[in-house]
Amino acid sequence: MVPPEADTRARPPHEVAAWSRAVVGPALRAAVDDLPTSTRHVAGYHLGWWDEHGEPTDAAGGKAIRPVLAQLAAEAVGGEAGAATPAAVAVELVHNFTLLHDDVLDGDRTRRHRPAAWHVFGVGAAVLTGDALLALAFDVLADSGHPEALTAVRRLNATVQGLVEGEHTDLAFERRHDVGVAECLAMVERKTAGLLATACALGALFGGGDPTRVAGLRMFGHRLGMAFQHVDDLLGIWGEPAVTGKPVHADLLARKKSLPVVAALASGTPAGREFAELYRQDGPLTPTEQARAAELVEAAGGRAWSERQAERLLAEALRALDSLHPAPRAGAELAALAEAIVRRDR
């Protein structure tokens, strides 16, 4: 019988996710425990560790995709997953900083199938907790003792700057009727793809990867992040509430300029023109209008375009990964995880 530590068989994505949570979870909790009581309480609620009264709960804490990518990237370059724990914790803290702020900026009242933190504790508490998580992420990297800690801090800082710019652009899109596909894709590169790319790059960096392999894994994460956003935007219109944790047609109700929406608006088709008129009208869309809007986005080709783009980007991500000749098990697990992420709506 092969001992567990010598087992080179690739694990399915759900097992990899459970393994990652078992490793990163305690380190994440230890980091959050260092926060002041006020922000620690809100952070623990947001992360699903306890309810609004501080009582333990088994609420969902998110998919934790970014920590898994960091750990597997470290193994892919021949390093140990444990070496990437600070990177995994840091990217998860940054991700949750963005979620706390996004829910406030977008007015989303639910997150992970329960009331969003701002709706429970107030806008100020949610914003300040997001700020605390961001500061904590850099502290975790700086305190890691890893020889590449400073490089990692600088990389993560550049990513956060891009995230902020991407969010600013996304908000500006909501006030515009002339958003083009190219500028929408550029926004996604900064807002979504950037952090997945950085999770892979930091994992490879902490795993001892050389610059070529770090850059290659960053490319893998970037392409995966772009595909991820296409799928996320599809779910924002057609996803089941039980899966997304948000109402059906949530992105249409919020007048989001998501990727399939922008593709439909730019299609030049009769359906696209009708959709544009509906999207520009004053007042919230009724449930009937939301359903019609979803039909028009599909008829204008927005849905099919995003589905094709997601598959193309997944293929590019997998080619980038394969070109690095990663450690066999980690490479197989990264590939399977990427496919599960992109095809999670099927």
Side-chain angles (χ1 to χ4, degrees), residues 250-292:
D251 283 1
L252 297 177
L253 181 60
R255 300 295 214 287
K256 288 277 190 182
K257 297 299 192 306
S258 63
L259 289 164
V261 162
V262 172
L265 291 171
S267 66
T269 62
R273 288 189 288 272
E274 182 183 341
F275 172 61
E277 291 179 7
L278 183 59
Y279 227 44
R280 290 172 185 169
Q281 72 180 29
D282 294 330
L285 297 175
T286 67
T288 299
E289 289 170 333
Q290 293 171 40
R292 178 57 179 163

Side-chain angles (χ1 to χ4, degrees), residues 15-16 24 32 43 63 73 88 95 131 137 168 172 245 252 283 303 309 323:
E15 287 186 15
V16 173
V24 176
V32 171
K63 296 179 286 293
H95 174 56
D131 294 343
H168 184 275
L252 297 177
R303 184 174 190 170
Q309 291 300 307
S323 71

Side-chain angles (χ1 to χ4, degrees), residues 70 73-75 77 79-88 90 140-153 155 199-209 214:
E75 291 190 335
V77 299
E80 296 291 333
T85 298
V140 167
L141 288 180
D143 196 43
S144 67
H146 194 280
E148 296 289 353
L150 180 57
T151 299
V153 167
R155 283 177 177 263
C200 292
L202 294 190
L205 192 67
F206 274 58
V214 171

Side-chain angles (χ1 to χ4, degrees), residues 11-219:
R11 300 160 294 181
H14 72 275
E15 287 186 15
V16 173
W19 158 77
S20 175
R21 283 192 294 270
V23 174
V24 176
L28 182 62
R29 283 182 179 257
V32 171
D33 278 344
D34 284 339
L35 292 176
T37 302
S38 56
T39 50
R40 176 182 174 276
H41 180 60
V42 180
Y45 171 85
H46 169 76
L47 290 163
W49 299 342
W50 46 71
D51 64 19
E52 63 270 31
H53 306 295
E55 295 297 323
T57 182
D58 58 356
K63 296 179 286 293
I65 291 169
R66 292 149 194 86
V68 180
L69 290 174
Q71 291 170 289
L72 290 180
E75 291 190 335
V77 299
E80 296 291 333
T85 298
V89 170
V91 294
E92 185 66 359
L93 288 168
V94 169
H95 174 56
N96 282 281
F97 142 75
T98 68
L99 296 183
L100 283 161
H101 282 203
D102 281 358
D103 286 345
V104 170
L105 292 169
D106 298 339
D108 288 339
R109 299 169 71 90
T110 59
R111 168 67 61 184
R112 297 165 179 160
H113 307 284
R114 62 178 186 162
W118 74 266
H119 189 51
V120 176
F121 300 99
V123 169
V127 170
L128 291 171
T129 300
D131 294 343
L133 294 184
L134 178 59
L136 184 60
F138 291 110
D139 191 52
V140 167
L141 288 180
D143 196 43
S144 67
H146 194 280
E148 296 289 353
L150 180 57
T151 299
V153 167
R154 287 173 172 163
R155 283 177 177 263
L156 188 59
N157 180 62
T159 300
V160 171
Q161 296 293 339
L163 282 168
V164 171
E165 179 63 20
E167 180 62 34
H168 184 275
T169 303
D170 195 17
L171 291 171
F173 285 173
E174 294 179 19
R175 302 188 298 272
R176 290 175 48 193
H177 300 305
D178 60 343
V179 177
V181 172
E183 59 182 330
C184 191
L185 289 169
M187 178 272 292
V188 170
E189 282 196 277
R190 294 188 291 268
K191 186 177 175 182
T192 304
L195 190 54
L196 268 72
T198 297
C200 292
L202 294 190
L205 192 67
F206 274 58
D210 61 43
T212 299
R213 302 190 100 191
V214 171
L217 278 156
R218 186 188 183 284
M219 179 61 70

